[in-house]
Structure formats: C-alpha cells, structure tokens
Amino acid sequence: MLRFEQVWFRRAEFSLSIDGSILGPGITAVIGPSGAGKSTLISLIAGFEVPTAGQIYWGESPITMMPPDQRPVSVIFQDHNLFPHLNAVTNVALGLSPCANPNDTSREAARSALSIVGLEKLGASLPGELSGGQQSRVALARALVTKKPLILLDEAFSALGPALRTEMLNLLKSVLAERTVLLVTHNPEDALQVSQQTLFLEGGRVWSAIGTDELFARPHKHLKAYLDKGD
C-alpha cells in the first residue's frame, strides 16, 4: 500500500496536496487536466522531488527522504529512457545493474523479461531499429527485471496509436498483475480499460482513489467538467 500523510508540495505558484492511500496490487489510473500535478505526483513518489511537508509511506516504511535508487519504485517515462547505442538486452539489464557490459546472469534475466513481453527475437536490436510499440515493450521489460513492487508510468504510451496503446495496456495488466501500478494518462478510456481504481487531480487537489467503474458511473462535478472538456 502507498500512503500519503498530509503531503504538501509547493514550487513557485504551483502547489499540490494529497492525503490518503492507494491500494495494491493492481492498476490505479491517474487522470486530470494538463498542469494539474500528475507528473509532480509521480516525481514525489519516485523521489525526484521532495515534499514541502508530510510523509510518503510504502507499507509501514517512510520513503519521503529515501534516494530514488533505494525506493521500491520503477518508472517508465514517455520517451522510455532507452540508451540508443545499447541493444535491447543491455537496456533491459540496466534495470539490474548500471553497467553497459552486464554479466551472464543479468543478460539471462533480461532475455527472459524480453520473452515475457514478446521480444525474444529482438534482443540484439538497437532502439532505433525498433518501432514505438517495441520500444515500449523494452521499457516494460526493464521494469519487470527490477522486481520493484511499485511501477509508475508517466504517459508511457501516449505517443502510440489507439491499437498499439490498447495492446500495451492489455500487456501491462497481464505482466504486472502482482505489482502496484500508477498509470498517468490523459485518456479516460485507458482508465476504464485496465484500472481497478482511479485518482483524479485538478488545481493541485488530489481526489481520493476510488473504484474506476464507480467513479465514471457517478462522476463528481469536477470530473464531469474534465470529461466534457476532453482535456
């Protein structure tokens, strides 16, 4: 369980506050208009930003001041953060060790993860030789090998077309079923497709995560305005 205890973050004119819990395992969608603080929330959980006040817990353990590399967190960004000069196996193996020449154990783990995401024959390929969907699968495979229990996706599939995005969301739900996943997306349909609960942000306020079907069946006025606007 990911828990926020009166967390408040402020930078210049922007502020974000959150208090409550996100249950797992399973997928929680994070939606809201541009500038609402979705990426800031991901940065606070990952440790790229530090709250102005409050505490973040994973289970019973505080992680607020923990360095990013020591947190139980793996992040997948929109650009996937793949190294263009390293092949798929090596890019995945970096999830185990920051070494451009991984050992045999790391390579085998990377090949296994690539097989899980359907890229068992493309381990020797460079990122530039892969499609956008295949690059997304490499990034997902790297998250798999880390064994981190909390996976954060910040608009990771937003550059993909509808068919590929649907394919990646289904794969995500399949291979990360035992982990806690936060999926930041601008597309409410993504939330309806794969998330068991949804977190809505607006104007620096975070609405408590509730069941996705329940939330969309009876949207509060702020969510309804967002859905009607289509931002």
Side-chain angles (χ1 to χ4, degrees):
M1 180 176 66
L2 182 65
R3 180 163 58 91
F4 304 90
E5 188 176 277
Q6 298 181 342
V7 171
W8 180 60
F9 174 79
R10 184 173 182 85
R11 181 178 59 230
E13 298 302 312
F14 172 81
S15 66
L16 177 71
S17 60
I18 178 170
D19 190 56
S21 301
I22 295 174
L23 302 178
I27 299 175
T28 295
V30 180
I31 65 173
S34 298
K38 299 185 295 294
S39 292
T40 300
L41 176 63
I42 293 298
S43 292
L44 288 169
I45 299 168
F48 306 140
E49 299 277 10
V50 178
T52 307
Q55 290 286 345
I56 303 173
Y57 294 85
W58 175 249
E60 298 301 318
S61 301
I63 63 171
T64 314
M65 303 306 296
M66 205 178 271
D69 63 322
Q70 295 180 22
R71 297 195 180 203
V73 175
S74 182
V75 187
I76 304 176
F77 298 100
Q78 182 177 346
D79 61 4
H80 311 312
N81 278 9
L82 301 180
F83 290 91
H85 63 293
L86 301 177
N87 65 26
V89 165
T90 306
N91 265 290
V92 173
L94 288 173
L96 293 169
S97 173
C99 177
N101 187 24
N103 59 33
D104 290 343
T105 300
S106 295
R107 286 184 179 277
E108 184 57 36
R111 292 191 187 96
S112 177
L114 286 171
S115 179
I116 290 172
V117 300
L119 296 182
E120 61 272 9
K121 296 182 179 180
L122 295 177
S125 301
L126 296 174
E129 300 169 334
L130 301 173
S131 68
Q134 289 168 337
Q135 291 180 33
S136 295
R137 288 172 182 258
V138 174
L140 180 55
R142 185 165 60 194
L144 282 175
V145 301
T146 66
K147 305 295 184 183
K148 298 291 182 74
L150 179 57
I151 310 295
L152 313 176
L153 294 99
D154 193 1
E155 299 284 0
F157 307 140
S158 62
L160 303 180
L164 270 178
R165 191 173 69 246
T166 295
E167 182 180 303
M168 287 305 303
L169 288 170
N170 287 333
L171 180 62
L172 182 75
K173 189 173 183 179
S174 172
V175 302
L176 295 179
E178 301 303 317
R179 307 199 200 185
T180 300
V181 179
L182 267 67
L183 173 69
V184 171
T185 177
H186 273 92
N187 192 335
E189 292 181 0
D190 294 350
L192 287 165
Q193 181 181 337
V194 298
S195 69
Q196 63 185 29
Q197 55 186 353
T198 295
L199 198 68
F200 178 68
L201 283 74
E202 182 190 51
R205 177 181 178 182
V206 182
W207 299 75
S208 297
I210 65 172
T212 298
D213 291 341
E214 177 186 354
L215 180 66
F216 282 91
R218 292 184 293 276
H220 51 70
K221 66 178 183 179
H222 302 278
L223 175 59
K224 191 174 187 305
Y226 166 70
L227 295 174
D228 290 342
K229 185 179 178 182
D231 183 4

